[in-house]
Amino acid sequence: MKKINKVYLVIASIVLMFSIKSNAQIVKAEIRATGLTCSMCSNAINKQLKALPDVINVETDLNTNTFTVTLKEGNELSPKTFKEKVEKAGFFIGSLVITAKAETISKSPYILVNDKKDTTEVVKFQVVDKGYVTEKEFKKLSKSFKDISTYVANSEDDFHIKILN
């Protein structure tokens, strides 16, 4: 009897591990960086983003300082990863728009700040926390979201999002 329970426990653990990995799936991230003055600046960010193991491709638009990062399926990246990479290159995020599987936003670190519900399989949303928008935009958003206690707390482990599509 004990052997059957151990086998059942091992199988259940394996199933749980695979189901967790498939849940957090960011498909694409559009990062508008601030503080860039030349193509060498964008090259520094480009290198940092390409260094991520789950990145398939990084497209750069020098006119808007936007980096579109396409990711491998099944990745476990979070918005914090992109922020850290851009800051490691010496710059800041002015806007972070993420395209992800719909079940991703129902997970714990994501907190919806607008009432817009989306029933599609893939959702496009913007992270509106400090460090993911410009300082000016954050001050404006802080007034709008002052009733959301987690937004006021400004925890780096929570991601406040606004659905765009």
Side-chain angles (χ1 to χ4, degrees):
M1 186 72 169
K2 287 183 182 181
K3 189 173 184 173
I4 293 173
N5 286 338
K6 286 181 183 179
V7 171
Y8 176 75
L9 184 61
V10 169
I11 292 171
S13 297
I14 290 171
V15 169
L16 183 62
M17 283 189 315
F18 284 111
S19 67
I20 289 172
K21 183 172 178 142
S22 67
N23 285 335
Q25 290 192 14
I26 295 175
V27 177
K28 180 173 71 171
E30 298 169 49
I31 304 164
R32 187 174 42 81
T34 61
L36 281 74
T37 58
C38 65
S39 61
M40 293 303 289
C41 296
S42 68
N43 195 31
I45 295 173
N46 204 340
K47 284 182 180 178
Q48 286 296 319
L49 294 171
K50 283 185 176 179
L52 290 167
D54 292 319
V55 170
I56 295 172
N57 188 33
V58 178
E59 293 177 25
T60 307
D61 182 347
L62 295 174
N63 293 325
T64 60
N65 295 331
T66 302
F67 301 84
T68 304
V69 184
T70 308
L71 301 164
K72 293 178 185 173
E73 190 167 329
N75 69 76
E76 296 184 22
L77 297 177
S78 75
K80 189 174 184 177
T81 306
F82 300 112
K83 181 176 180 265
E84 288 170 349
K85 288 295 184 179
V86 170
E87 289 178 352
K88 188 173 181 181
F91 303 96
F92 300 97
I93 291 180
S95 170
L96 176 60
V97 175
I98 293 177
T99 304
K101 296 204 174 189
E103 65 264 14
T104 302
I105 63 170
S106 63
K107 302 294 177 236
S108 174
Y110 295 101
I111 301 165
L112 190 61
V113 295
N114 61 346
D115 293 332
K116 192 171 187 177
K117 300 290 182 199
D118 196 295
T119 57
T120 60
E121 203 172 297
V122 177
V123 178
K124 192 172 188 176
F125 60 88
Q126 180 179 9
V127 180
V128 294
D129 290 305
K130 186 174 188 165
Y132 299 92
V133 293
T134 62
E135 195 65 36
K136 183 179 178 181
E137 181 73 12
F138 178 73
K139 286 179 183 178
K140 189 170 100 176
L141 291 169
S142 292
K143 292 176 185 173
S144 300
F145 303 139
K146 66 180 179 233
D147 296 334
I148 302 172
S149 61
T150 55
Y151 192 80
V152 176
N154 199 21
S155 170
E156 287 197 21
D157 295 326
D158 293 330
F159 301 107
H160 296 84
I161 60 171
K162 179 170 66 171
I163 294 182
L164 302 175
N165 61 338

